[in-house]
Amino acid sequence: MTYNDLKTEVIKRFWLHMFGRHKGEMLHGKAQPVGARWHAMPELGLAISITTGIDFVRVFVRTTDGGKASKLRERLTHWQDELVPALGAPLKSPGESDRFFSIRLDLDMNDEGNWDQAADFLWETSQRYEKALGQTLGGTTA
């Protein structure tokens, strides 16, 4: 299943819930009825995507608009020895060619009782990713 399986009004309510728990998330835009939000890191040429689906939430690294996944993969491969332990996820997951360091938490997103756990996972993971990527890549384009 993909995040499109979750009803748009549920998605928007979840993002509003996340804002209530983690006010810093508001820096990344308003709550929209779409399943993915990006924490753009243009200085690094990438974005951290936080997504919600019907039975999971996920964080992964992706290119920014117009970026080439192959070029980002090459760059991340160069740093994977440092990034894998810092992020707690492998560089590539099976079947995912344009998502890197994908990590997910499986839970029923139609059950609002799971939303605190989902919001905390997305926030804490995205913050860890931002810090590790910033420290490791440090704005270099090597």
Side-chain angles (χ1 to χ4, degrees):
M1 292 188 184
T2 64
Y3 61 80
N4 295 329
D5 294 332
L6 194 60
K7 290 188 174 110
T8 55
E9 71 268 10
V10 174
I11 294 170
K12 187 167 183 179
R13 279 196 355 261
F14 170 71
W15 292 132
L16 290 171
H17 178 85
M18 184 157 177
F19 289 175
R21 284 186 72 79
H22 302 286
K23 303 226 181 310
E25 182 59 32
M26 289 187 273
L27 298 173
H28 302 286
K30 295 179 179 176
Q32 302 291 335
V34 293
R37 295 177 55 80
W38 289 12
H39 293 194
M41 299 182 77
E43 70 281 6
L44 301 180
L46 57 84
I48 297 162
S49 178
I50 65 171
T51 63
T52 181
I54 199 165
D55 56 1
F56 69 92
V57 291
R58 174 174 54 201
V59 177
F60 61 89
V61 177
R62 58 160 295 141
T63 61
T64 51
D65 281 330
K68 290 192 174 196
S70 59
K71 192 168 176 138
L72 179 59
R73 180 174 46 253
E74 209 174 283
R75 198 160 149 234
L76 294 174
T77 299
H78 178 76
W79 295 101
Q80 75 178 333
D81 288 348
E82 290 88 351
L83 290 170
V84 167
L87 303 180
L91 174 64
K92 285 177 40 181
S93 299
E96 295 186 343
S97 61
D98 59 349
R99 297 180 188 135
F100 308 102
F101 300 108
S102 183
I103 189 169
R104 66 186 265 165
L105 175 66
D106 293 321
L107 38 66
D108 179 0
M109 288 302 290
N110 279 311
D111 178 352
E112 292 188 30
N114 289 329
W115 287 9
D116 286 353
Q117 184 183 3
D120 293 349
F121 173 82
L122 291 173
W123 178 253
E124 291 160 10
T125 305
S126 66
Q127 295 307 293
R128 187 175 77 242
Y129 275 41
E130 286 181 29
K131 183 178 178 188
L133 289 161
Q135 289 175 343
T136 305
L137 301 178
T140 63
T141 54

